[in-house]
Amino acid sequence: MTSTGEDAPDRAPASLPAPGSAFGVELNGLNTIDESERKGRASSLFWPWFGANVSVFGLSYGSFLLGFGISFWQATLVGVVGIVASFLLCGVIALAGKRGSAPTMVLSRAVFGVNGNRVPSLLSWLLTVGWETVLTALAVLATATVFEQLGWEGGVVTKIVALVVVVALVVVGGVIGFHLIMRMQMIITVVTGVLTLLYIALVLGHIDLGAVGALPAGDAPHVIGGFVFMLTGFGLGWVNAAADYSRYLPRGTRSRGVVGWTTFGSSLAPVVLLVFGILLAGSSPSLSEKIAADPIGALASLLPTWFLVPFVIVAVLGLVGGAVLDIYSSGLALLSVGVRVPRYIAAGIDGVIMTAGAIYVVFFAGDFLGPFQGFLITLGVPIAAWCGIFVADIALRRKDYAEAELYDPRGRYGSVRWLPIALIVVGTAIGWGLVTNTAASWLGWQGYLLGPLGLGGTKGDWAYANLGVLIALVIGFVGTALFSRASIRRQEER
């Protein structure tokens, strides 16, 4: 096993489960992956990424997107482009995993320094824990709603049982690790893919093309706002984990394949589900309103009774598929922040936090969409800045990473690199000033630059555009591309 030169949790133990063993607890943590464990093809990336994004929750984005006051064609265009573009960023970052055979937030040390990288690692941990909490809560709410429609008990008892089952699936997958997750995602992909197609066939009759075609077009700020929401709701929610799975691929794997299969696997299901979700939401304003309160439960109301149980299965499995990837990566991010425990313990810690958050959302929060949008946009700004920095850094590098030095603050990557940290701070400060979260009152302080820049303030049309996410992404990318080339060359020459 490659030596890391740092603390014990970063190093793999002497004894590891046999490669490919689905039920042996993965003992790899922040360490680089040994050559003997690197196997597979780029096409194997299709399974985890498709399985994590095939959830019927993707249908709900049709309602969320139309909520920006745009037409069917506008929503379809910005939705498809937003999904593919955001997951293309994941594909580029997945390249770093093949080149460095380490988790995403370890490879990020080459950019921020070994200790400086604790800043983006903390952001990554918050984002992934937030996402796994959202997905777990949605699975519980969906189960309760469907049980009510069946005439069964859908109250507190059902929610508690559903919470226990969902949490168990997610935590077991996250704790056991990579090989079990890959097996789970393959099964989830097949089952949810088939049942989702059947769902689409059953609710086709609810689409009213006349009503959809009559949706009025929105202006530029609302169109841009919808596009930004799609970026943050899809690929920008995954960029900080994109190399966690490609790190197991052989070094000789074609880079084009890594980018292509990551982008294709993650985009395919969301694109199909989004377009169909726009058609459904555009056909019924009342359905669109219900989705804001209980996204998946509202979709179940369109189904015949006999398909409600299969629908629960497809809904829960799809959400579990996303949450499992999140808890695995959140555990790695927690280690990268500096918590010194084995990877499986870190995943367990995140499971406890996820459970507490899901309990709040299920039993105490009165609204889902407002806090959800606030969460996406608020964390989307600094994550967009980090993504722009990391993507530019990957594009500038000509050589693979010096793996051992990713763990040594005295090595070529240093302890703290202040330029990228400054870019995150500047990008976030400007970005938060150009976004608003009107549905989440506790985020009313955002948008402080809209008025001074003549964009109408938090009540003006440009408040809907949430330009801050795009601005943060551009600041990170351009700042790195302009000012980091020389330092990267010095790193590679050592």
Side-chain angles (χ1 to χ4, degrees), residues 449-466:
L449 293 178
L450 291 169
L453 293 178
L455 297 176
T458 57
K459 303 295 184 181
D461 286 343
W462 281 102
Y464 292 94
N466 286 319

Side-chain angles (χ1 to χ4, degrees), residues 13 57 80 90 95 138-139 145 168 188 239 253 273 336 357 387 392 471 473:
F57 181 46
V80 172
C90 291
L95 278 179
L138 281 174
T145 300
I188 288 171
V239 288
T253 306
L273 292 170
S336 190
C387 179
I471 296 298
L473 181 67

Side-chain angles (χ1 to χ4, degrees), residues 190-256:
V190 174
V191 174
T192 55
V194 171
L195 292 178
T196 299
L197 289 175
L198 184 54
Y199 174 89
I200 290 175
L202 289 172
V203 301
L204 270 174
H206 291 274
I207 292 177
D208 182 347
L209 294 178
V212 173
L215 293 171
D219 56 15
H222 290 78
V223 172
I224 295 172
F227 175 69
V228 170
F229 182 71
M230 298 307 292
L231 290 178
T232 55
F234 287 94
L236 281 182
W238 288 110
V239 288
N240 54 313
D244 294 352
Y245 306 94
S246 56
R247 65 185 172 132
Y248 276 89
L249 290 175
R251 297 183 190 280
T253 306
R254 293 183 63 187
S255 297
R256 182 179 300 177

Side-chain angles (χ1 to χ4, degrees), residues 99-324:
R99 293 176 178 176
S101 59
T104 312
M105 299 316 296
V106 170
L107 299 167
S108 179
R109 293 174 175 180
V111 186
F112 292 85
V114 175
N115 292 315
N117 192 62
R118 297 179 194 273
V119 174
S121 293
L122 179 60
L123 293 171
S124 174
W125 180 75
L126 290 171
L127 182 66
T128 47
V129 169
W131 262 114
E132 68 203 42
T133 300
V134 166
L135 296 175
T136 299
L138 281 174
V140 174
L141 291 171
T143 302
T145 300
V146 171
F147 270 48
E148 289 176 357
Q149 292 175 4
L150 285 167
W152 302 344
E153 169 61 39
V156 174
V157 174
T158 297
K159 290 177 180 178
I160 291 175
V161 173
L163 181 66
V164 170
V165 172
V166 172
V167 166
L169 289 171
V170 174
V171 172
V172 168
V175 167
I176 291 181
F178 178 80
H179 296 298
L180 179 59
I181 289 174
M182 295 297 281
R183 299 282 181 89
M184 288 177 67
Q185 296 299 75
M186 186 176 296
I187 295 171
I188 288 171
T189 294
V190 174
V191 174
T192 55
V194 171
L195 292 178
T196 299
L197 289 175
L198 184 54
Y199 174 89
I200 290 175
L202 289 172
V203 301
L204 270 174
H206 291 274
I207 292 177
D208 182 347
L209 294 178
V212 173
L215 293 171
D219 56 15
H222 290 78
V223 172
I224 295 172
F227 175 69
V228 170
F229 182 71
M230 298 307 292
L231 290 178
T232 55
F234 287 94
L236 281 182
W238 288 110
V239 288
N240 54 313
D244 294 352
Y245 306 94
S246 56
R247 65 185 172 132
Y248 276 89
L249 290 175
R251 297 183 190 280
T253 306
R254 293 183 63 187
S255 297
R256 182 179 300 177
V258 173
V259 176
W261 281 107
T262 299
T263 306
F264 176 66
S266 51
S267 299
L268 179 59
V271 165
V272 174
L273 292 170
L274 172 74
V275 174
F276 192 77
I278 295 172
L279 291 171
L280 277 179
S283 301
S284 172
S286 62
L287 173 65
S288 191
E289 291 177 5
K290 292 176 183 177
I291 287 174
D294 183 2
I296 296 179
L299 295 169
S301 65
L302 304 178
L303 291 168
T305 303
W306 66 267
F307 191 70
L308 288 177
V309 172
F311 179 78
V312 169
I313 294 173
V314 68
V316 170
L317 283 181
L319 294 166
V320 165
V324 164

